[in-house]
Amino acid sequence: MTATDSAGGDRSTVPQGYSPRLYNEDLAPATERKWGAFSIFNVWTSDVHSLYGYFLAASLFLVAGNTFKFLIGIGVGSLIIYWLMTLIGNAGVKTGVPYPVLARASFGTFGANVPALVRAVVATFWYGAQTSAAAGAIVAFLVRYDGPQHLHETSRLFDHSGLEVLCYLGVWAAQLLIISKGMETVRRFQDFAGPAVWLMMLVLAVALSVKAGALDFSVDMPGDDLAALAKSATGLDVSPGSLAAIAAIAATWVTYFAALFLNFGDFARFTPDEKTLKKGNVWGLPVNLILFSLVAAITTAAASNVYGEVILEPAKISAKFDSAFLVLLAALTFAVATLGINVVANFVSPAFDFANVAPKYVTFRRGGLIAAVIALLLYPLHPWDNAPSFVNAIGSTMGPIFGVIVVDYYLIRKAQLHVPALYEEGGEFRFQGGWNVRAFAAAAVGAVFSSILPTYGPSGYGATLGPYSWFIGVIVSGVLYFAFSGGKSPLATPAAAMHGESDVAKGS
């Protein structure tokens, strides 16, 4: 049996017994595994070193009250992130399959499209938002000159200036070019972008510290403004520097990575073994996260001393430099940083997710094109300016999904998965017509705690448990799924048990 690219592209052979409704070469278990520890490290530099990543770290630094408490909160959060990412990463290494295919084991062969599309919707929304942020960094540099400034002030299109539209289209096209070349090009881009952004962050911190005349971590901020920032950053009315604030910092830092807890397997599956993955994760997560956060703290404090105001956006800090060269360098670096997180968190994931819905017709490249076109069509509406709470509510459901998948893989299946059955319509993961009702029931209840109550429920719930709602959703859905399943796979077959490790190893 063969599946033919409707556009006249390459033909891909569907292995005997596999369904073309569930299989194409992009969704198949990875065979070429060229991602070493350095590439995994740069998955995290690309994801963290964004404009919003800096903004969040700088905000949490102020909420912590002092550097020592900040490092405790960020350190605890980073260790939790490392542990959770290693869980999902090891599953990717062992099975070799991307997230939507792994989700078939718990949600069913066709039911997995629901958690896949949840991730795709959130990722596509933030893809547009991050593209807009990257374009904004370039605009901030260009308006220093008369021509671009005139275009920015006199032209309007889709409720944006002509300059903003041109920069958005440029960044949009650059990302599409990267993703159209496949995952190997993504790896090469990350290996360049990660070190480049780190270098620029250090230049920014050193330049401001020299200008300030000393390395200082003190920030003078009015109490009311600081309390408002704490509320905005953590969702709680906490006293900056308190134990509650430190705990909220750790929880907020973990929740920031909610999408990556699901789609890290999309990258981990290209590593040769768990040892390589662990090495990349150690340097990329607790080490890199803590150092990056410390640099953000230094930069925030130095900028406060130099300019007499608290500036949390690095693009606004660099725009104040006297040197046009430094401003240009910063603008390009921040644009590359934002491209990095978009490719990792918001572009690769929907490409696989959309491909999973119709593998016979949608390849990885076409899935990425679908996401890019949707983001382009959303630009005139710029929903990321006024609808993040709605999308965050949807995104919070990724916690319960994560809980179901991890419990299914580690506690119920003991990390032994019959990979070929993931591509069979009538195999072990068919459940009820391709849908595992138990998984959806558990995830739905978990979503009430992680998404519905914090966003639309009583104000007291969000004010007390807001930063912890992701954790609550994971625990509730995981416990319920384990209970509903009776601690064992609902439709585990003798054949699946016999295949065991050998099928996992070869993947098909």
Side-chain angles (χ1 to χ4, degrees):
M1 184 187 298
T2 60
T4 306
D5 187 313
S6 60
D10 296 333
R11 289 176 171 268
S12 59
T13 301
V14 178
Q16 185 69 31
Y18 286 14
S19 169
R21 298 173 66 191
L22 298 171
Y23 177 93
N24 66 29
E25 290 184 356
D26 294 316
L27 297 175
T31 54
E32 292 189 10
R33 302 194 174 208
K34 298 180 179 179
W35 290 54
F38 183 67
S39 294
I40 294 299
F41 166 79
N42 282 319
V43 167
W44 303 122
T45 58
S46 295
D47 182 67
V48 179
H49 301 170
S50 65
L51 295 175
Y52 186 76
Y54 175 98
F55 173 83
L56 181 60
S59 300
L60 295 177
F61 163 62
L62 296 176
V63 173
N66 62 50
T67 307
F68 179 69
K69 293 178 180 179
F70 173 63
L71 291 177
I72 291 177
I74 288 293
V76 171
S78 297
L79 289 174
I80 295 173
I81 293 167
Y82 166 75
W83 179 65
L84 294 174
M85 289 298 181
T86 299
L87 284 179
I88 203 68
N90 285 343
V93 172
K94 195 167 186 180
T95 64
V97 301
Y99 156 71
V101 176
L102 181 65
R104 295 173 186 173
S106 47
F107 287 91
T109 48
F110 296 115
N113 284 323
V114 173
L117 288 175
V118 165
R119 186 183 71 162
V121 167
V122 176
T124 301
F125 175 92
W126 287 116
Y127 169 74
Q130 293 283 3
T131 302
S132 182
I138 298 175
V139 169
F141 166 74
L142 292 177
V143 294
R144 295 168 65 96
Y145 301 97
D146 293 340
Q149 176 70 23
H150 178 73
L151 178 63
H152 184 59
E153 293 178 346
T154 60
S155 60
R156 303 297 296 177
L157 183 64
F158 303 131
D159 200 28
H160 295 277
S161 75
L163 182 63
E164 289 172 334
V165 172
L166 290 175
C167 289
Y168 185 91
L169 291 174
V171 175
W172 180 87
Q175 293 172 133
L176 186 61
L177 178 63
I178 293 170
I179 202 70
S180 68
K181 301 296 183 180
M183 287 297 290
E184 184 60 18
T185 300
V186 170
R187 181 185 68 81
R188 293 192 185 110
F189 172 74
Q190 288 178 168
D191 288 352
F192 155 76
V197 174
W198 244 123
L199 181 61
M200 185 60 217
M201 289 299 300
L202 291 174
V203 168
L204 193 63
V206 170
L208 285 169
S209 295
V210 170
K211 197 166 186 178
L215 185 63
D216 189 8
F217 287 94
S218 62
V219 177
D220 185 17
M221 190 173 187
D224 291 344
D225 292 346
L226 189 56
L229 179 63
K231 173 69 173 179
S232 174
T234 67
L236 297 181
D237 291 316
V238 294
S239 175
S242 65
L243 182 61
I246 296 174
I249 287 170
T252 301
W253 197 232
V254 173
T255 305
Y256 173 60
F257 291 85
L260 268 296
F261 290 129
L262 291 179
N263 74 310
F264 179 49
D266 295 346
F267 303 92
R269 72 194 190 105
F270 295 108
T271 58
D273 50 55
E274 292 180 4
K275 182 179 179 181
T276 301
L277 180 74
K278 181 179 179 180
K279 184 177 180 181
N281 273 356
V282 165
W283 285 102
L285 289 170
V287 175
N288 175 59
L289 290 185
I290 293 170
L291 290 177
F292 171 78
S293 300
L294 185 61
V295 169
I298 293 172
T299 305
T300 302
S304 174
N305 293 330
V306 171
Y307 301 115
E309 60 178 314
V310 177
I311 307 174
L312 299 177
E313 297 87 353
K316 290 184 178 180
I317 295 175
S318 62
K320 290 180 173 291
F321 288 174
D322 296 328
S323 168
F325 172 75
L326 283 179
V327 176
L328 173 61
L329 183 62
L332 292 176
T333 304
F334 294 138
V336 168
T338 305
L339 261 65
I341 189 174
N342 250 359
V343 168
V344 172
N346 304 324
F347 212 176
V348 168
S349 54
F352 281 123
D353 295 334
F354 289 131
N356 191 69
V357 174
K360 187 175 180 179
Y361 305 103
V362 183
T363 62
F364 173 79
R365 288 181 175 83
R366 289 182 178 181
L369 179 60
I370 290 171
V373 169
I374 292 175
L376 186 61
L377 294 176
L378 286 175
Y379 182 65
L381 305 175
H382 46 93
W384 33 83
D385 291 342
N386 49 33
S389 61
F390 171 73
V391 175
N392 283 337
I394 297 175
S396 296
T397 63
M398 291 190 287
I401 291 170
F402 178 78
V404 169
I405 291 175
V406 169
V407 166
D408 181 80
Y409 183 77
Y410 282 102
L411 298 185
I412 293 178
R413 303 185 187 278
K414 312 299 182 185
Q416 300 297 318
L417 196 62
H418 182 209
V419 174
L422 295 170
Y423 303 94
E424 299 168 356
E425 286 192 44
E428 176 186 356
F429 308 113
R430 187 175 187 275
F431 299 107
Q432 296 84 35
W435 298 71
N436 186 359
V437 176
R438 296 170 180 177
F440 280 98
V445 176
V448 171
F449 292 91
S450 69
S451 180
I452 305 301
L453 289 178
T455 307
Y456 304 107
S459 58
Y461 184 92
T464 306
L465 300 173
Y468 309 104
S469 58
W470 184 87
F471 297 90
I472 296 171
V474 170
I475 294 170
V476 169
S477 64
V479 169
L480 286 178
Y481 181 70
F482 189 83
F484 292 162
S485 302
K488 61 182 179 180
S489 176
L491 292 178
T493 63
M498 288 190 297
H499 282 294
E501 183 71 27
S502 61
D503 277 333
V504 169
K506 67 184 181 181
S508 62

